[in-house]
Amino acid sequence: MSVSVLGIRHHGPGSARSLRDELERLRPDIVLIEGPPEADGLVELAKDPGLEPPVALLAYVPGEPSKAAFWPFAVFSPEWQAIRHAVEAGVPVRFCDLPAAHSLASRPEEEPGEGRAPDTAPEDAGPEDGRPADRRGPAGHAPGTEPPEGEGPQAGMPAVRTDPIGTLARAAGYDDPERWWEDVVEHRGDTPFRVIAEAMAAVRDGHVADAYEARREAFMRRTIRRAVKDGFERIAVVCGAWHVPALAGTAEEGAGWGAGLPTVKADDELLRGLPKVKAEMTWVPWTYGRLAAWSGYGAGVTSPGWYHHLFASADRPVERWLTAAAGVLREEDLPVSSAHVIEAVRLTQSLAVLRGRPLAGLAEVTEAVRAVLCEGDDLPVELIQRRMVVGERLGHVPDATPMVPLQRHLREEQRRLRLKPEALDREHDLDLRRPLDLERSRLLHRLRLLGVDWGTPQESRSKGTFRESWTLAWRPEFDVDLIEAGAWGTTVPAAAAARVRDLADGGQPAGPTSQGAAGQGPAGPVPGAPGGRAAAPAGPSLAGLTGLVERCLLADLPDALPYVLDALSARAALDSDVTHLMAALPAMVRAQRYGDVRGTPATGLAAIVDALLTRVCVGLGGAVTGLDDDAARDLLRHIDGVQAAVALLDGASGAGSPQTRWLAALRGACGRSDLHGLIEGRLTRILLDAGDLDADQVGPRMSRAMSAGHPPARAAAWIEGFLSGGGLLLVHDARLLALIDGWLTGLAPETFVDVLPLLRRTFGAFAAPERRSIGSRVRSLVTGAVPGAEGVAELDEERAAAAVRTVLMILGKAEAE
């Protein structure tokens, strides 16, 4: 019987290649891999070609799926290569790390005797160290390095243990642990596992494991003993290099495995009484971008695309990389020739020689790309960084993978609607007149209600309401969100409808699940969700309910719509604040129109809109009085919103039409003597634009507002409100322009200085062409070319003669010579 403990670096292409060769040589009859034992039953899925890395093992607690942990694997991960070797050779695979049922049940950093803060795990710790995603601290330092100053343990905790890779790198004279590891392992691929074990034994000399690490290693030893007891003769153990001395022992050859290791009794004592929860395990797709985002905590690498290339292109990796980089730049129409690539290869080789490296690394390749291929421009270098160094690869899991019903239904919908999940951002313009695009829009809106923001709405380039623009990008955390949302229903429409009813009852709005330390998973229960609901508020606001009606129509949830409308009617009947009603009306009007554009029945909306508008019209007179500057601006925003909403309503122009009632309310409010200048000016402008007032009626009102009886600040506020709809009115109505000009030029110097900021804000909001036209009209006022101005400029007949002759020639009436 032999036990071979093979220490690797997680996500190391050199380790993966060496491990694959070593397993071919050893031909073990069982392979033990650092990871949660709950995943043993999922190993067989690695035979399925549909399981394409990058993927991750996801552990979660049913009923509390926000407690989750990920174990990500790329094609260049040694663990993945070990799994592939075992399934191809037909030998069993067991995971030997502490079960997820224990790690999800406890907070390792709070256990007594803990020897490090959660953000200081060594680089070669297991994938996520088996820790729940919501238990980790920030990951701010590069893998294999000491944590920066200030990232040590919290107060009262013991000192941080030594980082093994950093220690070995310093001993070799390197200031960068990453570069040392690449030079001695990644770029060589022939470092014996025995040498790694000896190096780790030297680094761990005198080290006392903390409680969590000791339990992990005790469970690994227990798993090895079980494999020995089961009669396996050739056992291969694949684990982080740091753990090798704790699993292989220090006895000389021939002493047999287990010599020098803790006894069975000691390990059983460590593992006795551990907290436990019921944990489920599955495979989920992963991305290289997310793998890079986890760098600094032992499970991530800053350049997964580069490592993938090193693993896949063992022959002439630098030349192949630079050739691919040239192809990426050419796709963007950047001029890159074969000569550029040849010179870049020479530069990387020269840099590697100068720096004493066995092979040019990513630093040398990036410098060559910047200097030669990009000619010193950093912008295309960022393109290479995003597409090649990090990569845009998204993994895939087969249909046989265990999933909650909601996940499986979404998978079917993605196939039916031909919406493929992708890691990179992809733009989609949807034409809602097409059935396929309409179904896609409904699916994306339903997912947003469930807090799965796969699609982000963008401002459509089309003016029509029948188009939508979305940006789609799939993130691994969405699988956790779907598991959590699975409590609402087994299909996307059913779950979204149940979620809407909960929100109408006062549940918290659905949104993206808060992320853990490195953006890697939920950090706790989502408020308002099953299994983690926060205390319900008194109820949703009126504006919140109207927005929910709009979202319900966008998502085509007719079963939930009546429930929300009932809640809205009850809330509106109890809400006496006119500004709340005004804030709610625009969303209701938009929702009513969506019922037409999308073919969605909106029964009951018209009655609610009419009731809201009636209450707004009745209460408007009391709402516009006694306002300070801030309150006036807030009310002005609501008035403009209602004005735009009323313009969208269909109806006759008779006495009972929405437009007529709204204008009557504005006319009554505008006649009050205690109005704020901003409100009075805006109401006057709305009535003028609607034809309820004409220019002859507006002129006297403006004169009164700017008379000496009013403070200049109020007059300036009146002008701001009057002109907030745009400045073209002053271009076309010379009388109003002359009134403003006369008031402004008549101000005393000190008063002019006081009102100038207000006027500048008003006129600064106009478009540049409007400002130029107004300036031209003001010059005409000075020359008297505008009716109402003093004096008329004398006509220069000599200059005008040339223009007259040109006009006569165009008209065919040129004067005879």
Side-chain angles (χ1 to χ4, degrees):
M1 187 272 297
S2 65
V3 176
S4 302
V5 182
L6 309 176
I8 50 90
R9 182 198 186 200
H10 301 290
H11 308 311
S15 289
R17 193 179 297 112
S18 298
L19 176 67
R20 188 175 58 188
D21 295 340
E22 184 69 6
L23 291 175
E24 288 290 342
R25 187 186 68 82
L26 293 173
R27 296 191 177 277
D29 51 10
I30 188 173
V31 178
L32 308 181
I33 301 175
E34 183 180 335
E38 291 91 343
D40 288 352
L42 299 174
V43 172
E44 286 298 313
L45 285 174
K47 295 180 180 178
D48 194 321
L51 188 63
E52 302 174 4
V55 291
L57 289 169
L58 165 63
Y60 63 95
V61 179
E64 292 184 87
S66 56
K67 290 184 177 180
F70 296 97
W71 285 260
F73 301 99
V75 69
F76 52 82
S77 300
E79 298 91 343
W80 178 257
Q81 291 301 318
I83 292 173
R84 291 294 305 166
H85 170 85
V87 297
E88 290 171 3
V91 300
V93 174
R94 295 179 185 176
F95 288 94
C96 60
D97 204 350
L98 193 67
H102 296 310
S103 59
L104 290 174
S106 62
R107 296 180 61 92
E109 63 270 25
E110 292 181 354
E111 294 181 357
E114 178 67 10
R116 66 175 184 275
D119 63 338
T120 54
E123 187 280 328
D124 60 348
E128 296 324 290
D129 257 358
R131 299 190 179 201
D134 56 330
R135 304 295 196 234
R136 303 187 198 101
H141 56 284
T145 64
E146 294 283 6
E149 185 177 354
E151 284 195 19
Q154 300 172 358
M157 296 183 69
V160 178
R161 74 182 183 190
T162 303
D163 168 38
I165 304 300
T167 301
L168 293 172
R170 284 192 298 272
Y174 282 72
D175 57 358
D176 183 356
E178 279 293 299
R179 176 165 295 189
W180 174 83
W181 183 269
E182 288 188 357
D183 285 352
V184 300
V185 177
E186 304 301 340
H187 292 164
R188 296 174 61 94
D190 58 352
T191 303
F193 286 96
R194 180 177 54 81
V195 175
I196 295 177
E198 291 175 356
M200 289 301 161
V203 174
R204 283 188 63 139
D205 186 26
H207 166 72
V208 178
D210 58 58
Y212 184 72
E213 178 190 332
R215 288 169 179 169
R216 290 183 60 207
E217 293 175 344
F219 196 89
M220 292 181 194
R221 290 190 292 268
R222 173 185 284 183
T223 306
I224 297 173
R225 292 187 183 106
R226 185 179 299 117
V228 172
K229 184 177 179 181
D230 290 343
F232 292 102
E233 294 295 330
R234 299 182 305 279
I235 302 171
V237 182
V238 179
C239 64
W242 173 259
H243 302 294
V244 170
L247 304 183
T250 58
E252 297 181 358
E253 288 190 35
W257 180 84
L261 295 178
T263 63
V264 174
K265 181 179 180 181
D267 285 345
D268 289 344
E269 185 65 28
L270 273 174
L271 298 173
R272 185 175 294 115
L274 289 181
K276 186 177 182 180
V277 294
K278 178 179 172 57
E280 299 287 345
M281 185 77 69
T282 187
W283 288 106
V284 295
W286 207 246
T287 66
Y288 276 178
R290 185 61 69 198
L291 194 65
W294 283 19
S295 62
Y297 194 77
V301 289
T302 56
S303 50
W306 167 251
Y307 276 6
H308 181 101
H309 175 78
L310 287 180
F311 181 78
S313 303
D315 177 45
R316 307 179 72 86
V318 172
E319 291 84 347
R320 297 180 187 276
W321 176 269
L322 292 172
T323 302
V328 169
L329 296 175
R330 287 169 185 156
E331 289 176 0
E332 301 297 325
D333 294 329
L334 296 175
V336 181
S337 67
S338 300
H340 283 90
V341 177
I342 294 171
E343 289 302 319
V345 171
R346 290 173 177 171
L347 179 57
T348 57
Q349 292 171 346
S350 299
L351 289 173
V353 171
L354 289 173
R355 295 170 180 175
R357 305 197 66 182
L359 181 70
L362 181 59
E364 289 75 25
V365 170
T366 301
E367 290 178 33
V369 168
R370 177 182 289 106
V372 181
L373 302 187
C374 301
E375 299 180 349
D377 189 353
D378 283 334
L379 189 59
V381 176
E382 293 177 4
L383 177 66
I384 299 296
Q385 171 74 22
R386 184 177 69 254
R387 291 194 183 178
M388 294 184 63
V389 177
V390 175
E392 298 170 335
R393 190 180 298 266
L394 174 67
H396 184 268
V397 298
D399 293 337
T401 304
M403 301 179 189
V404 298
L406 185 62
Q407 284 177 292
R408 197 168 296 281
H409 181 259
L410 175 59
R411 192 180 180 94
E412 295 169 355
E413 289 292 281
Q414 289 169 338
R415 289 195 188 119
R416 183 176 69 87
L417 301 177
R418 299 197 294 274
L419 280 177
K420 183 180 178 181
E422 296 178 288
L424 70 163
D425 292 349
R426 185 171 294 278
E427 302 292 332
H428 286 268
D429 290 323
L430 305 181
D431 186 342
L432 302 181
R433 297 170 298 184
R434 298 172 53 196
L436 178 62
D437 283 355
L438 181 58
E439 287 295 316
R440 288 172 171 176
S441 172
R442 288 170 176 169
L443 174 65
L444 295 174
H445 281 293
R446 290 166 182 169
L447 290 174
R448 285 178 61 81
L449 280 167
L450 294 173
V452 181
D453 289 339
W454 177 26
T456 303
Q458 304 296 326
E459 184 176 353
S460 177
R461 292 181 285 272
S462 172
K463 297 299 183 183
T465 58
F466 57 85
R467 288 193 178 274
E468 284 183 349
S469 294
W470 294 82
T471 299
L472 271 60
W474 186 264
R475 298 199 302 269
E477 306 93 284
F478 291 156
D479 283 291
V480 179
D481 296 332
L482 287 169
I483 292 171
E484 188 168 10
W488 299 113
T490 58
T491 67
V492 175
R499 181 61 176 143
V500 166
R501 289 193 290 269
D502 179 74
L503 292 172
D505 284 337
Q508 296 296 320
T513 304
S514 56
Q515 302 306 308
Q520 302 319 323
V526 177
R533 179 175 298 176
S541 67
L542 189 61
L545 282 172
T546 55
L548 190 58
V549 170
E550 186 175 8
R551 298 179 68 188
C552 198
L553 287 172
L554 289 170
D556 187 27
L557 300 174
D559 294 339
L561 183 59
Y563 194 93
V564 183
L565 291 178
D566 290 343
L568 178 64
S569 299
R571 184 73 181 187
L574 299 175
D575 201 324
S576 59
D577 192 326
V578 176
T579 58
H580 291 173
L581 299 173
M582 296 175 76
L585 185 63
M588 286 297 299
V589 173
R590 289 195 303 270
Q592 187 175 356
R593 285 188 63 84
Y594 282 133
D596 295 332
V597 175
R598 294 170 167 268
T600 306
T603 307
L605 285 179
I608 295 178
V609 168
D610 186 73
L612 287 176
L613 181 60
T614 300
R615 296 186 63 192
V616 168
C617 292
V618 171
L620 183 64
V624 297
T625 60
L627 302 177
D628 59 15
D629 292 343
D630 292 336
R633 292 191 180 280
D634 185 62
L635 182 62
L636 183 64
R637 179 172 55 84
H638 291 307
I639 290 174
D640 286 340
V642 175
Q643 171 66 18
V646 169
L648 296 176
L649 290 173
D650 297 328
S653 57
S657 68
Q659 293 84 354
T660 302
R661 286 184 289 152
W662 172 241
L663 290 176
L666 295 181
R667 192 183 313 115
C670 191
R672 303 178 70 98
S673 59
D674 55 349
L675 286 181
H676 190 281
L678 188 69
I679 299 298
E680 183 181 354
R682 183 59 185 144
L683 296 184
T684 303
R685 175 62 182 276
I686 292 175
L687 293 172
L688 174 64
D689 291 344
D692 199 77
L693 294 176
D694 56 30
D696 292 336
Q697 294 172 301
V698 171
R701 294 191 180 207
M702 181 178 286
S703 297
R704 288 195 300 270
M706 295 184 296
S707 65
H710 291 294
R714 186 188 186 280
W718 195 98
I719 294 173
E720 181 181 356
F722 183 77
L723 297 179
S724 62
L728 286 178
L729 182 66
L730 298 182
V731 177
H732 299 296
D733 196 321
R735 182 181 177 187
L736 298 181
L737 179 62
L739 285 172
I740 295 177
D741 182 69
W743 167 77
L744 186 60
T745 56
L747 292 176
E750 60 277 7
T751 305
F752 175 80
V753 172
D754 292 337
V755 302
L756 181 60
L758 300 178
L759 294 174
R760 183 171 184 178
R761 179 174 60 193
T762 301
F763 285 86
F766 298 161
E770 291 181 357
R771 294 199 299 269
R772 285 196 297 269
S773 298
I774 293 173
S776 177
R777 301 293 287 179
V778 170
R779 283 196 301 270
S780 299
L781 288 175
V782 176
T783 61
V786 178
E790 296 297 331
V792 179
E794 184 179 352
L795 179 64
D796 187 340
E797 295 184 1
E798 184 178 352
R799 295 182 60 190
V804 171
R805 285 195 299 271
T806 302
V807 172
L808 290 175
M809 289 178 64
I810 293 173
L811 297 176
K813 298 180 181 180
E815 295 179 344
E817 294 293 340

